[in-house]
C-alpha cells in the first residue's frame, strides 16, 4: 500500500475576484472572456440560480460546451446547489435517464437574460455535495456520483502540484465537463491562471484542428483512444509546435498507444494518469516513472492511498496482481441513489475505501500498473488477455483509425469493431500474426463509426447488444 501526506487547500468556490489578477481567460469557438468578464458571468449565474432554487437542489445544465456552460456550472456551485452537467450531444435516452434519476428543480438549456448582478455570499461547505456526475455507462447503466466541495478542492490542489499548469499556459480542451477529466480542466486553469480554450467536443475534425492551431496551446488533455486519430489529423506543425504537455486518462495506456500519442506530439511530455468518476484522479506518471516503468500510470497523488488486494482481501506483494482499492480525500461522497453500498466502505481504522473494480499491481517505489477493468480481462480459447491488449494491437495496424472490443459473454465471443480503410480479413490476419490465434477476437467487424457514451468513451454496452442485422441497419 502506498500512502502520502496531506496537502494544503484553497476553496474552489471562492469568489472569482479573489483568485487574483492572473492570466486566466476563457475561450470557445464563439469568442473570448477575460478574467473580469468570466467573473461577471459567474456572479450573474449565481444570482439567477439563487432566485430559483434552494441549497441542495439539483440543477441540470445542458448548454453547448464553452464559456456559458462553464460560468453556469461555477455559479450553481457557488449558490450551494448540486450542478448536473449533461452534454448537448448526449443521446435522448441518456438525458431521460439522468432527468428521471436526479429529479432536478431546473433544467438549463439556454442562457437567460440576467437582470441582477448583486454579489451574493458563497454557500460553500466542504462536506456538502456540489456536482452530480454520471459515469460513462460504457459497460452498462450510468450511475450518478456525488462530488463535494472539499473533495474537488483537495484533488484540484493535488493535481496542480503534480502537473504544474502555470500562468502563461494555454490549455486546449475538447473533453466534456460531464466527464471529471474535462470538469477539472476549468478548475485547474482558474487555480493556475492559465488560459483555457473549450472546444465543442465531438469527433476530432479539420475545423477543430484549425481552431487548435490558431489558439497555439501549450497543454492538451486527451483520452488514449484518440491517439491514432491525432496522429492522422494533427499534421500541421503549427498546431503542435508549442505543446509542452499532453495528459491522458480515461482508460489504461499501453505502450503501443503511448507510442501513437507521442508520434502525434513528438515535442511534448506525455503524462499518463489514472482516475475514475468516483475519485477524479488517483495517480499521475512522472519522468522517473517513464524511465523505470513506462507502462505504469504513475504514483498516487499526495494524500491518496492505493492498495492491491487478493480475492481474500489480503495485501498483495509488489508485482502481484490483484484488485485496486483507493483511499483519500479524493473519494466522492456517495452514489446518488446509493445503489452499490459495497463500493465504498470503512476499515477498522475508520478510513474510507473505494473498490475500483480495476485490476493492477504495485511496482517498485509505489508506481501503479493498471491492467484494466475486472470485466475487461478474460480468457480467449484458454489464454488470458484483455480489452486493452487487443485494442492496442488493432490500433497499431495500418488502416485502423479507431476500434472498440466487446468482451465475450454467454451469448457471443469477443467482437472487435473498427473504423478504417483495411478489410476485416486483413485486420484479422494482422491480429493473428501479432497476438496469436488464441487471442484473436471471434469476430472482426468494420463500421463507419464507434458509438460513444455521453463522456466520449466507446459505448461497448451498445455495441454488444447489436446483432448483425442491427449493425447493418445502424450503418445504413
Amino acid at each position: 500500500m502506498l500512502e502520502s501526506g496531506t496537502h494544503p487547500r484553497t476553496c474552489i468556490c471562492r469568489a472569482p475576484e479573489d483568485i487574483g489578477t492572473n492570466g486566466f481567460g476563457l475561450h470557445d469557438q464563439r469568442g473570448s472572456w477575460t478574467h473580469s468578464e468570466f467573473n461577471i458571468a459567474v456572479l450573474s449565474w449565481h444570482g439567477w440560480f439563487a432566485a430559483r432554487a434552494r441549497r441542495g437542489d439539483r440543477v441540470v445544465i445542458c448548454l453547448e460546451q464553452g464559456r456559458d456552460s462553464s460560468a453556469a456550472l461555477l455559479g450553481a456551485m457557488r449558490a450551494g446547489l448540486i450542478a448536473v452537467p449533461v452534454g448537448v450531444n448526449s443521446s435522448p435516452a441518456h438525458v431521460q435517464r439522468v432527468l428521471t434519476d436526479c429529479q432536478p428543480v431546473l433544467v438549463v438549456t439556454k442562457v437567460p437574460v440576467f437582470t441582477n448582478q448583486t454579489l451574493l455570499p458563497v454557500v460553500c461547505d466542504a462536506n456538502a455535495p456540489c456536482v452530480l456526475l454520471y459515469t460513462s455507462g460504457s459497460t452498462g447503466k450510468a450511475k450518478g456520483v456525488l462530488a463535494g466541495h472539499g473533495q474537488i478542492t483537495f484533488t484540484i490542489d493535488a493535481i496542480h502540484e503534480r502537473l504544474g499548469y502555470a500562468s502563461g499556459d494555454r490549455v486546449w480542451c475538447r473533453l466534456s465537463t460531464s466527464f471529471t477529466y474535462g470538469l477539472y480542466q476549468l478548475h485547474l486553469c482558474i487555480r493556475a491562471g492559465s488560459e483555457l480554450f473549450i472546444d465543442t467536443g465531438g469527433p476530432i475534425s479539420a475545423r477543430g484542428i484549425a481552431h487548435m492551431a490558431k489558439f497555439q496551446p501549450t497543454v492538451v488533455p486527451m483520452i488514449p483512444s484518440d491517439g491514432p486519430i491525432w496522429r492522422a489529423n494533427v499534421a500541421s506543425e503549427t498546431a503542435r509546435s508549442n505543446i509542452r504537455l499532453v495528459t491522458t486518462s480515461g482508460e489504461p495506456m499501453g505502450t503501443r498507444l503511448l507510442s501513437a500519442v507521442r508520434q502525434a506530439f513528438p515535442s511534448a511530455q506525455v503524462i499518463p494518469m489514472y482516475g475514475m468518476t468516483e475519485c477524479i484522479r488517483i495517480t499521475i506518471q512522472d519522468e522517473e516513472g517513464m524511465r523505470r516503468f513506462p507502462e505504469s500510470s504513475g504514483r498516487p497523488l499526495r494524500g491518496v492511498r492505493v492498495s492491491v488486494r487478493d480475492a481474500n482481501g489480503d495485501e498483495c506483494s509488489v508485482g502481484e496482481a490483484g484488485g485496486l482499492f483507493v483511499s483519500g480525500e479524493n473519494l466522492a461522497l456517495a452514489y446518488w441513489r446509493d445503489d452499490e453500498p459495497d463500493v465504498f466502505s470503512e476499515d477498522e481504522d475508520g478510513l474510507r475505501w473505494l473498490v475500483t473494480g480495476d485490476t493492477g499491481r504495485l511496482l517498485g517505489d509505489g508506481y501503479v500498473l493498471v491492467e484494466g477493468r475486472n470485466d475487461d480481462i478474460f480468457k480467449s480459447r484458454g489464454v488470458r488477455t484483455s480489452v486493452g491488449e487487443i485494442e492496442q494491437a488493432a490500433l497499431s495496424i495500418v488502416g485502423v483509425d479507431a476500434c472498440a472490443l466487446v468482451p465475450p459473454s454467454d451469448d457471443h465471443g469477443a467482437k472487435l469493431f473498427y473504423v478504417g480503410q483495411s478489410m476485416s480479413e486483413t485486420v484479422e490476419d494482422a491480429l493473428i500474426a501479432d497476438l496469436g490465434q488464441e487471442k484473436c477476437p471471434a469476430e472482426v467487424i468494420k463500421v463507419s463509426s464507434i458509438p460513444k457514451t455521453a463522456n466520449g468513451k466507446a459505448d461497448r454496452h451498445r455495441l454488444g447488444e447489436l446483432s448483425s442485422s442491427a449493425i447493418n441497419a445502424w450503418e445504413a
Side-chain angles (χ1 to χ4, degrees), residues 160 163-167 169 171 185 188-189 192 194 219 221 244-245 247:
H160 174 73
L163 291 182
Y165 282 26
S167 180
D169 269 328
V171 182
Q185 299 305 321
L188 272 179
C189 288
S194 308
V219 179
R244 68 170 187 85
L245 176 65
T247 61

Side-chain angles (χ1 to χ4, degrees), residues 217-233:
T218 60
V219 179
V220 176
M222 59 173 288
I223 55 177
S225 58
D226 282 344
I229 305 175
W230 279 114
R231 182 178 58 188
N233 286 276

Side-chain angles (χ1 to χ4, degrees), residues 73-120:
L73 183 69
L74 197 57
M77 294 169 68
R78 281 169 51 86
L81 308 179
I82 301 176
V84 189
V86 175
V88 294
N89 295 321
S90 300
S91 69
H94 174 76
V95 174
Q96 188 57 55
R97 282 194 296 268
V98 170
L99 294 177
T100 301
D101 189 58
C102 75
Q103 298 180 343
V105 299
L106 289 172
V107 178
V108 180
T109 58
K110 62 181 181 180
V111 180
V113 176
F114 299 115
T115 59
N116 185 1
Q117 295 179 357
T118 303
L119 179 62
L120 299 175

Side-chain angles (χ1 to χ4, degrees), residues 231 256 391-398 400 434:
R231 182 178 58 188
R256 297 186 191 203
E391 287 183 348
Q392 289 163 34
L395 289 171
S396 69
I397 299 171
V398 175
V400 174
D434 188 356

Side-chain angles (χ1 to χ4, degrees), residues 38-328:
F38 175 70
N39 178 25
I40 291 171
V42 171
L43 296 179
S44 298
W45 278 105
H46 181 179
W48 189 85
F49 279 124
R52 291 163 176 80
R54 296 180 298 178
R55 182 174 182 174
D57 282 342
R58 277 83 58 206
V59 293
V60 167
I61 299 172
C62 188
L63 296 170
E64 183 175 355
Q65 191 164 291
R67 292 171 296 157
D68 291 319
S69 63
S70 299
L73 183 69
L74 197 57
M77 294 169 68
R78 281 169 51 86
L81 308 179
I82 301 176
V84 189
V86 175
V88 294
N89 295 321
S90 300
S91 69
H94 174 76
V95 174
Q96 188 57 55
R97 282 194 296 268
V98 170
L99 294 177
T100 301
D101 189 58
C102 75
Q103 298 180 343
V105 299
L106 289 172
V107 178
V108 180
T109 58
K110 62 181 181 180
V111 180
V113 176
F114 299 115
T115 59
N116 185 1
Q117 295 179 357
T118 303
L119 179 62
L120 299 175
V122 178
V123 182
C124 179
D125 180 345
N127 298 316
C130 59
V131 181
L132 177 58
L133 297 167
Y134 281 80
T135 58
S136 64
S138 57
T139 59
K141 177 185 175 183
K143 299 185 290 291
V145 179
L146 280 171
H149 289 272
Q151 173 208 1
I152 296 178
T153 297
F154 168 86
T155 310
I156 294 302
D157 281 352
I159 295 172
H160 174 73
E161 179 186 73
R162 295 286 289 275
L163 291 182
Y165 282 26
S167 180
D169 269 328
R170 298 168 65 82
V171 182
W172 191 81
C173 179
R174 57 181 296 273
L175 305 167
S176 171
T177 51
S178 62
F179 183 25
T180 53
Y181 190 16
L183 173 66
Y184 74 64
Q185 299 305 321
L186 173 64
H187 293 298
L188 272 179
C189 288
I190 293 173
R191 174 79 167 75
S194 308
E195 291 191 67
L196 176 63
F197 185 101
I198 302 179
D199 193 34
T200 54
I204 298 172
S205 63
R207 182 183 179 188
I209 296 300
H211 279 287
M212 188 180 95
K214 185 177 180 180
F215 183 63
Q216 296 186 342
T218 60
V219 179
V220 176
M222 59 173 288
I223 55 177
S225 58
D226 282 344
I229 305 175
W230 279 114
R231 182 178 58 188
N233 286 276
V234 190
S236 169
E237 184 62 29
T238 303
R240 54 185 176 179
S241 59
N242 296 313
I243 297 173
R244 68 170 187 85
L245 176 65
V246 174
T247 61
T248 71
S249 188
E251 50 201 88
M253 170 69 79
T255 53
R256 297 186 191 203
L257 217 47
L258 185 60
S259 175
V261 175
R262 285 177 172 154
Q263 286 181 44
F265 301 97
S267 301
Q269 184 180 28
V270 180
I271 303 293
M273 305 184 295
Y274 169 49
M276 54 199 310
T277 307
E278 290 84 347
C279 54
I280 304 180
R281 184 61 55 231
I282 302 169
T283 68
I284 297 178
Q285 182 63 293
D286 53 32
E287 291 187 8
E288 179 185 353
M290 285 187 284
R291 289 195 306 270
R292 298 175 57 196
F293 308 107
E295 73 281 14
S296 86
S297 296
R299 290 186 288 194
L301 301 179
R302 182 186 296 275
V304 175
R305 302 181 180 189
V306 173
S307 173
V308 180
R309 304 176 187 176
D310 61 23
N312 297 319
D314 296 325
E315 293 271 352
C316 293
S317 57
V318 173
E320 182 182 358
L324 292 175
F325 292 70
V326 178
S327 180

